[in-house]
Amino acid sequence: DAGVIQSPRHEVTEMGQEVTLRCKPISGHDYLFWYRQTMMRGLELLIYFNNNVPIDDSGMPEDRFSAKMPNASFSTLKIQPSEPRDSAVYFCASSLPGGGYEQYFGPGTRLTVT
Amino acid sequence: GQQVMQIPQYQHVQEGEDFTTYCNSSTTLSNIQWYKQRPGGHPVFLIQLVKSGEVKKQKRLTFQFGEAKKNSSLHITATQTTDVGTYFCAGTGAGSYQLTFGKGTKLSVIP
């Protein structure tokens, strides 16, 4: 298996633009997590899905952030409009059915908003 | 909400010295996981502890889960340059499948 796949790996955009980050989880995993990592705040859980359904989005910073999982093999995290403070590394992770198992992280998307 | 504190934030050691990072939760945990993130990389799962007082070893790494299931530690014996990276603990509360990560301990090993 190729592992969790994320795209793009790097994104540089101007303030106010829409940004879409993409994730393909490991086949057979039914939990999908979106994290944001910054020096100041560390690794923060934004939202997670189980069987394509959002379970907890309490970590989503504000309405500018939205996430979808239209099917078991694809998820998106969208920021509209983007702001400089959104600059961070965004990780997607997936885990096996049943919950409570280790999470497999993708390589991350490094987002820079100027 | 659940908070996981991890100390120290940074640790510089001479190659061959031992290293320990400590993790404390504000609430009782169902389980605790440890991850390692190399510079420029992504977190990679190391181990999961579930039972009160559990101790697990992986070669030079020893992981412990406290009796009250609120604290944990990772000890590395005789560090090597390949141990460089940031070590994170992450806890799961009762009835939840989401992980709360500590801020991590960044380990530097001086050859």
Side-chain angles (χ1 to χ4, degrees):
Chain A
D1 202 322
V4 176
I5 299 172
Q6 290 187 248
S7 65
R9 295 292 306 276
H10 301 274
E11 176 80 35
V12 180
T13 191
E14 292 183 347
M15 183 174 62
Q17 296 297 305
E18 177 180 296
V19 175
T20 300
L21 311 182
R22 297 172 176 79
C23 174
K24 176 179 169 56
I26 293 173
S27 177
H29 285 192
D30 67 356
Y31 281 86
L32 184 139
F33 305 83
W34 281 101
Y35 292 90
R36 177 173 68 178
Q37 186 175 42
T38 61
M39 287 293 293
M40 288 297 295
R41 300 176 68 89
L43 200 57
E44 302 173 278
L45 176 67
L46 300 177
I47 185 171
Y48 79 97
F49 295 82
N50 178 223
N51 290 320
N52 315 334
V53 176
I55 303 300
D56 188 339
D57 65 354
S58 60
M60 296 286 262
E62 48 197 276
D63 292 345
R64 297 185 297 107
F65 286 70
S66 62
K68 294 181 179 180
M69 192 164 186
N71 57 62
S73 58
F74 183 66
S75 177
T76 59
L77 178 68
K78 185 177 292 186
I79 308 172
Q80 165 66 15
S82 58
E83 297 182 2
R85 59 194 169 117
D86 301 331
S87 297
V89 180
Y90 291 82
F91 289 105
C92 173
S94 67
S95 68
L96 287 166
Y101 296 102
E102 66 262 35
Q103 296 183 13
Y104 293 79
F105 282 74
T109 296
R110 182 173 295 276
L111 173 65
T112 303
V113 183
T114 60
Chain B
Q2 182 176 293
Q3 292 187 353
V4 175
M5 308 299 292
Q6 197 172 347
I7 57 169
Q9 189 174 358
Y10 301 96
Q11 186 79 57
H12 304 274
V13 300
Q14 203 76 34
E15 188 173 17
E17 291 182 339
D18 292 357
F19 159 77
T20 304
T21 173
Y22 301 91
C23 186
N24 284 284
S25 171
S26 58
T27 59
T28 301
L29 300 170
S30 293
N31 65 67
I32 195 157
Q33 299 180 8
W34 285 90
Y35 291 77
K36 177 183 178 180
Q37 184 175 20
R38 293 183 188 275
H42 57 276
V44 175
F45 174 81
L46 293 176
I47 208 161
Q48 177 172 271
L49 304 170
V50 179
K51 300 176 183 176
S52 169
E54 189 170 13
V55 178
K56 287 189 176 181
K57 292 189 176 184
Q58 289 180 349
K59 297 183 181 178
R60 295 179 295 104
L61 277 61
T62 302
F63 303 85
Q64 292 187 322
F65 201 10
E67 293 290 339
K69 300 184 74 173
K70 295 181 73 174
N71 58 73
S72 181
S73 65
L74 158 59
H75 179 83
I76 302 178
T77 303
T79 54
Q80 300 175 358
T81 55
T82 53
D83 296 326
V84 164
T86 301
Y87 292 84
F88 294 95
C89 62
T92 302
S96 172
Y97 298 129
Q98 64 184 69
L99 290 172
T100 300
F101 279 80
K103 290 285 181 69
T105 296
K106 186 174 182 178
L107 173 64
S108 300
V109 179
I110 306 163

